[in-house]
Each structure stands twice: as structure tokens, then as C-alpha cells.
Amino acid sequence: MLLPKTPSHDAPYPNDDPTPIQAHTAFWDRDNDGVIWPSDIFGGCRELGYPIWYCFIAVAILNGFMSYISGDSWIPDPYFRIYIRGIHRSSAKHGSDCMTYTRKGLIDLDKFDEIFATYSDTPSDSLTFRQALSLIHGNIDPFDWFGVAAEIFEWGSLYLLLWPEDGRMSKEDIFGCYDGSLFWRIAAKNGKCSRAEEWVKAIETSKKGH
């Protein structure tokens, strides 16, 4: 379920074997049709426990910037919908990122491990918010204000979601963000998403199968 057998730049969706970037995004696809409306982003963020003010910001940023790039038409979508089939074009790659996603929306495990080898303390299994900021600073491309802002939003959103008591985001949770399993686990824990428990079971079954 999490690792595609025949990945491509335009892997179909929905399907039984989504790419990691598709699985990362699927939580917000509330009716499993491959299309994410602004209301889906808002509702999904609320299920994760984000405050209302953040949900409005997330809708503006995510649907505002990802809709056009993820679509197949040169004409902008008037409803700012995000299309999961093309999500690799909008969120898998941007400037100043840590290159954990490939251009096909797969997870580069070497790049993922490199994050912790470079910026985490021994035993390299977690990141503090300060270390995440160091990661962002270390990946800055010249004059790439958009990419830097995107990275700050992404890591800031993850830290706000986890809000770890010891101030450290675990490697497991960060990977769960990349493959999408983290969102289902948190939604199931919050008890605000009827789909979450089913997805958590499917994810665990998929991991055992690999």
C-alpha cells in the first residue's frame, strides 16, 4: 500500500498501491475520488486537532499553491481543487527542500537518513524544532524565498501537530508524515475521523506484508 510496485510520474489514483506522496496526501481525500477540495483540507486539519485559525491558513496555502500544479489543465481550477494523481509536481519537489521525495513521489531513504545523521544528536533518532530550523537553513537555495517559506510551513506544521512533550520529533513520526500513516494514527487517537481506524489497520497490515 505504501510502496508502489510500478511507480511512474503520473501513477493513477485512486489505486491499491499508491506512491508515498499519494499516501501522504490521501488523508485529505475524504471521499477517495482523488480530488481534494478546500473544505477537505479544512475538515482534515480539524480532525488532526489543528486550531481553526491554522485550518484557514492551511486551506489558503495548500489549495492556493498546489491546485494548479497538480492539475492536468493549463486553465486554473476555479474551485482550487488539488489532484492527487499530480501531487508529486506540487509537493514532492520544490526549491530548498531536503530531497526526501523523488520527482516520482517516492521516498529516498538515504536522503531521509541523512537528515538525522546531519542535524540530529546521537543516536540520531529525533529532531528538535531548533534542529529543524538548522535543516531548513542548511538547504536554502539562493533567492528561493518560496521554497524556504514552504519548508518553514511544512516543518512548523509538523511540530505543531506533534507538539512533543520533550521537544523532540521522533524519526518514526517524521517518516509517518512522509508516508501519510502519521495523520491516520493521530486522527484515530483523537477519535474525530471515522475512516482512521480502518486506515491504521490497513497500514499496519501493509507494513507486515513488506
Side-chain angles (χ1 to χ4, degrees), residues 166-180:
D166 61 356
R168 292 183 171 275
M169 299 179 286
S170 71
K171 186 175 183 179
E172 179 183 2
D173 283 341
I174 294 174
F175 189 84
C177 176
Y178 279 105
D179 72 11

Side-chain angles (χ1 to χ4, degrees), residues 91-105:
S91 60
K93 299 295 294 180
H94 58 70
S96 302
D97 68 356
C98 51
M99 298 185 290
T100 302
Y101 284 124
T102 70
R103 292 191 178 278
K104 293 183 178 182

Side-chain angles (χ1 to χ4, degrees), residues 41-52 55 190 192:
I41 294 291
F42 188 93
C45 287
R46 289 298 291 158
E47 289 174 345
L48 291 173
Y50 283 113
I52 291 178
C55 297
N190 292 342
K192 295 182 178 180

Side-chain angles (χ1 to χ4, degrees), residues 76-97:
D77 188 315
Y79 300 106
F80 292 97
R81 292 169 292 188
I82 298 171
Y83 296 87
I84 297 183
R85 172 172 177 164
I87 195 65
H88 60 278
R89 296 194 296 269
S90 59
S91 60
K93 299 295 294 180
H94 58 70
S96 302
D97 68 356

